Every structure is written in structure tokens, then in C-alpha cells.
Amino acid sequence: MVSFDVDGTIFRKAALTQASRSLGIGEKWDSLEEMFLHQRINKRELLLSQYKLLQGMKLTDILQAVSRVEVIKNVRETVEKLQGHRIRVVLLTDNPDFLCGYLIERFGFEGYVGSKVGIKDGIVTSEIEPLPDKRLGLRKYAAWTGIPLSRCAHVGDWINDIPVFRVVRYSVALNAQTEKVKESASFHMETDDLLDVYKHLQAATV
């Protein structure tokens, strides 16, 4: 199984952060991010508070804003090539499940591990179950699929990917901005084409 982070990996920038600007909640979204960076709130509180800002919004409006965020080249092609090797290709993110659903529909991913945000009649509700620890999420998903972590690879770019890098067999830091992330992965690369990751994984015989 190969799992891909979403923000900074599939999307070139944080999708909902970018979308928040056109949805009119950009300032509030950013101020919560600042509070988290200054350790005034933890990751769980950050996700809960940010996703609460979406409450009452139409899902179609959110996804329309998200669709304008740039994605890395050849996502579907990479997914299909990995699937051609009978590898399960999934998303692993703290983003909401509805964002994962959008990417699954657009690019053909087979599943996801993410935060849960309620949708009723096309409107975002107050039901939120954040996923602050992606490693824990992957452990549960791996147990559910029967695929051991020793047969998993993860591709990500940020510090919340480091705990995942440590438990999977192989990891790629993709376009990572910090040395800590690069050093924690089995391999790091910079590219605007996801097929380069596929080629590397193929050569690494994961």
C-alpha cells in the first residue's frame, strides 16, 4: 500500500487554507493557525476550530474553491501505474473526508484516512471528528485492510508526516520545506511531477 499526504503533496498548497480566502473565513482560519504555531492550542483543537468555521456552508461552494488550488502533475497517471502493480493507493491526511472524496473521484485513489466532518443535505454540520495523529489513523486502516505497515510506503512533505515515516517500510519526503522532514524519510526529492515518485518507488522495489 502507498499512502499520499494531501496538502503540499497532491495539492501544491494547503487546499482549505487557500479556499478559506474566497469563502470569507481566511482571517479567522489564519489566526487559528497562528495560535497553533505558537503552541496556544494543540493540533486537535486547531482542526476542530477550523472545521467549525465551515459549518453551515454548502459543500459545493467549498469544493468549487478547492478545485482552483493547483495540484501536482500526473496524479491520476501515478495512481493508475501503482494500481497496475496491484498496490492499494490511498490518501492519508488530517483534512476532512469530503476533501478526500473529491480527490478520490477526481484521481482514482482507492481509499482514505482523514478527519470526519458531517454533511447533511449538502451542508456542513457541527459533527467533527478530527484526525490529529495520522500515524494512529494509518495503523487502524492497515489493520482493517490486513496490510501490515511493513508493506506500506508513505509520501508526504510536513512534520506531521514524520511519525508516519517512522512506522512504514519506505517513505518519500516530497518537496519538503524543512530539513527535519527530509532527514526523517527514506528518500527526499523535489519535483512538480508525481510520476517521478512512481519511478523512484519502482526503482526502490517497495
Side-chain angles (χ1 to χ4, degrees), residues 112-126:
Y112 69 88
V113 181
S115 298
K116 293 175 184 171
V117 176
I119 305 289
K120 188 176 181 183
D121 301 326
I123 304 292
V124 179
T125 72
S126 60

Side-chain angles (χ1 to χ4, degrees), residues 132-192:
D133 186 345
K134 297 202 292 190
R135 175 175 53 184
L136 186 63
L138 183 62
R139 280 191 195 280
K140 286 181 180 175
Y141 190 82
W144 176 71
T145 58
I147 300 170
L149 292 175
S150 59
R151 294 185 62 198
C152 295
H154 180 62
V155 182
D157 73 306
W158 194 234
I159 48 174
N160 65 348
D161 291 299
I162 293 174
V164 182
F165 289 167
R166 289 181 177 146
V167 296
V168 294
R169 177 181 167 187
Y170 199 82
S171 52
V172 177
L174 179 63
N175 300 321
Q177 301 295 309
T178 66
E179 288 304 315
K180 191 177 178 183
V181 177
K182 292 177 184 177
E183 289 166 7
S184 300
S186 312
F187 186 80
H188 67 85
M189 67 164 69
E190 293 188 24
T191 179
D192 63 354

Side-chain angles (χ1 to χ4, degrees), residues 68-166:
R68 293 194 285 269
V69 182
E70 184 189 359
V71 295
I72 195 166
K73 288 180 195 165
N74 290 317
V75 179
R76 180 173 281 279
E77 290 82 354
T78 303
V79 171
E80 288 175 352
K81 280 188 176 292
L82 286 167
Q83 288 169 340
H85 295 277
R86 298 179 68 189
I87 293 170
R88 181 187 283 261
V89 188
V90 301
L91 298 162
L92 176 60
T93 179
D94 52 30
N95 270 296
D97 43 9
F98 65 74
L99 193 64
C100 296
Y102 163 80
L103 291 173
I104 286 170
E105 194 175 318
R106 185 171 170 187
F107 297 118
F109 291 95
E110 289 168 78
Y112 69 88
V113 181
S115 298
K116 293 175 184 171
V117 176
I119 305 289
K120 188 176 181 183
D121 301 326
I123 304 292
V124 179
T125 72
S126 60
E127 289 178 42
I128 302 166
E129 194 181 310
L131 180 70
D133 186 345
K134 297 202 292 190
R135 175 175 53 184
L136 186 63
L138 183 62
R139 280 191 195 280
K140 286 181 180 175
Y141 190 82
W144 176 71
T145 58
I147 300 170
L149 292 175
S150 59
R151 294 185 62 198
C152 295
H154 180 62
V155 182
D157 73 306
W158 194 234
I159 48 174
N160 65 348
D161 291 299
I162 293 174
V164 182
F165 289 167
R166 289 181 177 146

Side-chain angles (χ1 to χ4, degrees), residues 7 14 16-18 20-21 25-43 45-47 49-51 53 94-95 158-160:
D7 286 342
L16 287 176
T17 302
Q18 296 299 306
S20 70
R21 314 280 186 265
I25 53 170
E27 283 187 24
K28 289 179 181 176
W29 193 276
D30 289 347
S31 69
L32 288 166
E33 199 74 48
E34 282 293 312
M35 288 171 72
F36 171 67
L37 290 173
H38 290 101
Q39 299 180 337
R40 286 159 59 194
I41 56 175
N42 63 31
K43 185 70 174 184
E45 291 165 335
L46 169 69
L47 297 174
S49 301
Q50 286 184 325
Y51 300 158
L53 295 175
D94 52 30
N95 270 296
W158 194 234
I159 48 174
N160 65 348

